[in-house]
């Protein structure tokens, strides 16, 4: 059975990386000071923002997707398992990271908005590739958190640390927007594959068997994480992935309604609806009339 390392607390992770624990809920780590290690699948009970050098061993399987040579940012959320088991080869980690426990941000602005930073659940091959200028800004953000860790604890400490981490994440959101633009050709290819996936799905017998295609299903078929896929489609089309699926569904439904030999109920089941009433409700929301009214208007 594959071995999984587990880190539930910041202090456990600090000890693993030969790093002093200055605060039980947050740390800024220089991974070059850690001992050489073997690649292992690893569970984390906290958030990590890792600035990895391109040559860093535990990122090597993603090298062929890097756009920039200065570094890569990886985001990991609580409860995620990261990495891979690549045998007994040792490597020396490089780079820096800020790690923080969910308890640090409870009751803060960041705590209220943390779910908006969807990149914490992206796949590793959807990492953020940054320029040297962006890298320096990230390191500056790390240094501000580190300054607070080394400062005597006072009533401002928690707020300032959480605020600086939130500012870092807001910059990362901007950098991801830039990456969506600079990798536009790649993303247009994914959009085309998405459209083909939906076309093939609805023209097969899969809807009646599997039901309506979900965002998670489409993301999995395209080898993307649901959040990255959803963010990509939103930025490319201005519509959510769910809305895009609904529009394709309605286009297919309109074509089927042209066939007078099929009842609305038959069409609903063919499209993956469990109940014809649900199909009627969705169709009217999108088109403004019921399927029956639409059929009457085109015949």
């Amino acid at each position: 059975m594959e071995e999984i390392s587990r880190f539930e607390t910041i202090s456990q992770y600090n000890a693993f990386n030969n790093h002093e624990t200055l605060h039980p809920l947050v740390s800024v780590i220089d991974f070059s000071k850690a001992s050489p290690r073997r690649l292992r699948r690893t569970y984390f009970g906290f958030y990590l923002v890792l600035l990895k050098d391109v040559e860093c061993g535990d990122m090597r399987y993603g090298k062929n997707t890097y756009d920039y040579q200065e570094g890569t940012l990886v985001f990991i959320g609580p409860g995620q398992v990261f990495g891979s088991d690549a045998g007994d080869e040792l490597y020396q980690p490089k780079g820096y990271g800020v790690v923080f426990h969910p308890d640090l941000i409870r009751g803060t602005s960041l705590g209220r908005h943390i779910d908006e930073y969807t990149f914490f659940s992206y796949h590793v091959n959807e990492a953020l590739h940054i320029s040297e200028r962006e890298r320096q800004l990230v390191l500056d953000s790390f240094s501000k958190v580190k300054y607070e860790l080394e400062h005597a604890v006072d009533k401002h400490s928690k707020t300032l640390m959480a605020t600086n981490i939130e500012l870092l994440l807001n910059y990362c959101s901007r950098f991801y927007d830039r990456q969506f633009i600079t990798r536009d050709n790649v993303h247009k290819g994914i959009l085309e594959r998405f459209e083909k996936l939906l076309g093939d799905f609805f023209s097969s017998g899969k809807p009646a068997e599997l039901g309506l295609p979900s965002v998670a299903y489409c993301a999995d078929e395209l080898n993307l994480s649901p959040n990255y896929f959803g963010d990509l489609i939103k930025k490319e089309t201005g519509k959510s992935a769910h809305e895009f699926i609904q529009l394709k569904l309605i286009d297919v439904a309109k074509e089927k309604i042209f066939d007078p030999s099929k009842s609305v109920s038959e069409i609903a089941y063919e499209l993956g609806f469990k109940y014809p009433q649900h199909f009627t409700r969705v169709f009217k929301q999108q088109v403004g009339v019921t399927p029956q009214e639409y059929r009457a208007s085109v015949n």
Side-chain angles (χ1 to χ4, degrees), residues 153-211:
V153 176
D154 58 29
K155 66 179 182 180
H156 304 287
S157 299
K158 176 179 176 178
T159 299
L160 286 169
M161 284 189 286
T163 300
N164 279 308
I165 293 171
E166 184 173 20
L167 180 61
L168 167 65
L169 298 180
N170 285 335
Y171 274 117
C172 292
S173 293
R174 169 188 278 179
F175 298 159
Y176 256 118
D177 282 348
R178 183 268 306 151
Q179 181 162 294
F180 279 119
I181 294 170
T182 57
R183 302 188 76 192
D184 190 53
N185 288 338
V186 175
H187 295 150
K188 278 190 165 46
I190 292 172
L191 183 59
E192 291 171 2
R193 288 167 56 205
F194 180 33
E195 292 176 329
K196 184 176 186 305
L197 172 67
L198 291 176
D200 292 346
F201 186 91
F202 283 115
S203 65
S204 69
K206 289 181 178 178
E209 177 187 351
L210 302 177

Side-chain angles (χ1 to χ4, degrees), residues 63-263:
K63 272 187 182 178
N64 60 347
T65 67
Y66 290 169
D67 300 306
Y68 296 88
Q69 296 303 306
E70 289 81 359
T72 298
L73 277 170
V74 176
F75 304 85
I76 304 171
Q80 291 188 16
V81 176
F82 174 79
S84 63
D85 192 342
D88 295 326
E89 180 184 352
L90 288 172
Y91 74 94
Q92 175 61 52
K94 299 178 184 178
Y96 302 87
V98 60
V99 298
F100 59 99
H101 196 278
D103 288 347
L104 176 77
I105 61 175
R106 295 194 197 284
T108 68
S109 171
L110 177 56
R112 290 189 291 274
H113 298 286
I114 191 67
D115 290 342
E116 296 175 12
Y117 302 103
T118 51
F119 41 75
F120 275 109
S121 57
Y122 286 1
H123 291 162
V124 68
N125 63 335
E126 300 157 352
L128 178 59
H129 314 303
I130 57 176
S131 67
E132 178 57 30
R133 188 176 180 182
E134 292 167 344
R135 183 176 183 273
Q136 289 304 317
L137 196 151
V138 169
L139 289 173
D140 182 61
S141 297
F142 285 4
S143 69
K144 286 182 169 62
V145 178
K146 184 180 179 183
Y147 173 84
E148 286 304 318
L149 285 169
E150 295 172 344
H151 190 280
V153 176
D154 58 29
K155 66 179 182 180
H156 304 287
S157 299
K158 176 179 176 178
T159 299
L160 286 169
M161 284 189 286
T163 300
N164 279 308
I165 293 171
E166 184 173 20
L167 180 61
L168 167 65
L169 298 180
N170 285 335
Y171 274 117
C172 292
S173 293
R174 169 188 278 179
F175 298 159
Y176 256 118
D177 282 348
R178 183 268 306 151
Q179 181 162 294
F180 279 119
I181 294 170
T182 57
R183 302 188 76 192
D184 190 53
N185 288 338
V186 175
H187 295 150
K188 278 190 165 46
I190 292 172
L191 183 59
E192 291 171 2
R193 288 167 56 205
F194 180 33
E195 292 176 329
K196 184 176 186 305
L197 172 67
L198 291 176
D200 292 346
F201 186 91
F202 283 115
S203 65
S204 69
K206 289 181 178 178
E209 177 187 351
L210 302 177
L212 295 170
S214 66
V215 173
Y217 169 85
C218 294
D220 186 61
E221 289 292 306
L222 297 171
N223 298 312
L224 298 170
S225 66
N227 277 344
Y228 185 88
F229 173 63
D231 291 345
L232 185 157
I233 296 302
K234 182 72 173 179
K235 287 179 172 63
E236 283 292 319
T237 69
K239 297 179 175 60
S240 71
H242 177 73
E243 290 172 330
F244 197 92
I245 293 170
Q246 290 270 299
L247 289 174
K248 181 63 178 179
L249 168 73
I250 295 302
D251 285 344
V252 175
K254 287 179 177 178
E255 289 295 323
K256 289 181 176 292
I257 287 172
F258 274 112
D259 184 352
S261 67
K262 291 182 179 178
S263 69

Side-chain angles (χ1 to χ4, degrees), residues 26-70:
V26 60
S27 186
V28 178
I29 299 173
D30 178 353
F31 290 100
S32 68
K33 297 178 180 178
S35 301
R37 61 189 60 172
R38 293 177 175 84
L39 291 178
R40 290 290 182 268
R41 283 170 57 78
T42 306
Y43 169 92
F44 296 97
F46 40 85
Y47 293 94
L48 301 92
V49 180
L50 306 177
L51 177 59
K52 314 293 285 185
D53 291 337
V54 170
E55 297 301 326
C56 187
D58 59 346
M59 288 297 294
R60 61 188 176 188
Y61 48 85
K63 272 187 182 178
N64 60 347
T65 67
Y66 290 169
D67 300 306
Y68 296 88
Q69 296 303 306
E70 289 81 359

